[in-house]
Amino acid sequence: MNKYVGRFAPSPTGDLHLGSLVCALASYLDARAHRGKWLIRIEDIDPPREPAGAAEKVLSTLKLFGFEPDDDVIFQSHRYHLYEGALERLKQLNYVYGCSCTRREIAMAAKQQGLRENVYPGTCRSGANKPARSWRFKVPAGRFSFHDRYYGVLSQNVEDEVGDFVLKRADGFWAYQLAVVVDDGEQGINNIVRGADLLDNTPRQILLQQALSLPHPTYMHIPLVLAEDGKKLSKQNGATELNTREPDKEILRAWKHLGFEEFKFQTPEEFLKKAIPVWSSSKYFRP
Ligand code: GLU
């Protein structure tokens, strides 16, 4: 069996919050419990949404919580050439096409065709009638199933629920779907543990792995941390911020969100060490 390689891949669009700490903790413990490698990858491919210094702050916060990666941290902003190479390959394989649609045109066409909001109606699949602005992946028809270690078997009809999706954006930046698949493949990531907000992105990523002949990692999505009002954590409903002056308290908060009982420890490093065997015998540790 291949050695387990996992990762935590935050987008530095702001400070690390409780939800991201839960995902970092889950991915770290799962890798350690499998005697695997754990890597950090900064997904900084969306400069318009990244405040200056956010990546450095995320990294220093992770360090404060005792998370030590097994290799150098990777920055997606240094890897555009890999995404370009993958797009070229997909072009050669006839998996992509240039799209000239604006957001407004997409919304109007989707409405006319009775499609759900945000579903791309395939307007440019048979040729764009204006200069292309973005590049889209041709989604094959049919339902796609995958196994999630936490949620079991899930399926999605990507064509109906998403449509042909963007790989390179109209503003020239790379789309998350392509970058994540290329990097997971290139870094040999074979186990992905991340937040359940990305569950419905997974079929798209599996389709891209297939198109690029990359191996499929296993997936485990961790239930989202909800605010007290039952909604997803956000700046508006508070509770998102981490108090970096009290890392012990905050890591316990993340641990309890995962459903575990608290225990005594002196430092975040000691906490992580003691948490690994608890994780190994928990509901999260299953094939
Ligand atoms: N960068 C993504 C985020 O912060 C996570 C990517 C992933 O884990 O696949 O939401």
Side-chain angles (χ1 to χ4, degrees):
M1 213 184 90
N2 281 347
K3 189 179 157 86
Y4 182 118
V5 187
R7 46 66 163 186
F8 176 56
S11 305
T13 49
D15 289 348
L16 212 63
H17 57 76
L18 183 62
S20 31
L21 179 61
V22 167
C23 294
L25 181 60
S27 67
Y28 178 88
L29 292 177
D30 201 56
R32 290 289 175 258
H34 284 90
R35 299 177 197 288
K37 261 174 112 168
W38 182 78
L39 310 176
I40 297 177
R41 181 172 72 227
I42 296 290
E43 302 210 316
D44 53 348
I45 44 164
D46 196 358
R49 293 184 56 225
E50 293 158 9
E56 292 70 24
K57 222 165 145 201
V58 165
L59 288 172
S60 62
T61 308
L62 286 171
K63 212 176 164 108
L64 194 73
F65 284 104
F67 297 110
E68 272 300 332
D70 293 312
D71 226 322
D72 291 345
V73 174
I74 280 195
F75 291 80
Q76 288 191 323
S77 57
H78 300 169
R79 294 161 71 84
Y80 289 177
H81 59 288
L82 294 177
Y83 315 140
E84 194 67 63
L87 183 67
E88 281 311 311
R89 227 168 320 140
L90 292 171
K91 281 183 191 169
Q92 277 161 18
L93 295 165
N94 197 25
Y95 271 116
V96 289
Y97 61 88
C99 170
S100 64
C101 297
T102 61
R103 248 177 238 264
R104 234 178 78 123
E105 286 165 343
I106 296 171
M108 265 162 45
K111 201 165 167 195
Q112 272 167 10
Q113 295 180 35
L115 297 174
R116 271 210 252 161
E117 217 185 324
N118 297 329
V119 174
Y120 183 66
T123 319
C124 294
R125 207 191 239 239
S126 48
N129 53 13
K130 289 180 288 177
R133 312 170 70 235
S134 60
W135 288 93
R136 288 185 185 270
F137 180 75
K138 277 186 202 166
V139 170
R143 281 197 88 76
F144 290 89
S145 301
F146 70 99
H147 176 259
D148 183 89
R149 283 173 49 209
Y150 187 86
Y151 287 96
V153 176
L154 297 167
S155 74
Q156 187 184 51
N157 185 322
V158 185
E159 190 188 25
D160 290 352
E161 293 178 39
V162 183
D164 294 341
F165 54 90
V166 169
L167 301 181
K168 190 173 191 188
R169 301 174 357 186
D171 59 9
F173 291 117
W174 294 100
Y176 156 66
Q177 307 295 349
L178 181 69
V180 79
V181 164
V182 169
D183 283 335
D184 285 335
E186 200 273 335
Q187 292 186 277
I189 306 290
N190 50 23
N191 282 272
I192 293 180
V193 176
R194 62 185 180 189
D197 53 330
L198 293 167
L199 258 180
D200 69 350
N201 286 233
T202 306
R204 270 172 271 175
Q205 294 170 18
I206 294 173
L207 289 177
L208 277 178
Q209 288 154 8
Q210 263 164 16
L212 290 163
S213 306
L214 292 168
H216 302 302
T218 65
Y219 287 93
M220 175 156 69
H221 289 81
I222 300 294
L224 287 186
V225 175
L226 298 177
E228 275 167 19
D229 58 6
K231 300 214 176 94
K232 196 179 159 187
L233 280 189
S234 69
K235 289 214 173 80
Q236 285 72 32
N237 55 26
T240 53
E241 274 161 47
L242 290 175
N243 179 355
T244 46
R245 267 160 298 160
E246 296 193 289
D248 292 5
K249 240 191 191 159
E250 297 295 56
I251 205 144
L252 257 191
R253 196 148 73 100
W255 181 240
K256 286 197 199 150
H257 263 293
L258 288 161
F260 294 106
E261 306 273 325
E262 62 177 278
F263 57 81
K264 290 215 168 358
F265 60 96
Q266 304 294 331
T267 61
E269 288 75 12
E270 189 193 338
F271 167 85
L272 291 174
K273 222 176 182 170
K274 286 188 164 171
I276 297 166
V278 183
W279 182 270
S280 303
S281 52
S282 78
K283 63 179 178 181
Y284 297 105
F285 198 80
R286 55 189 181 195

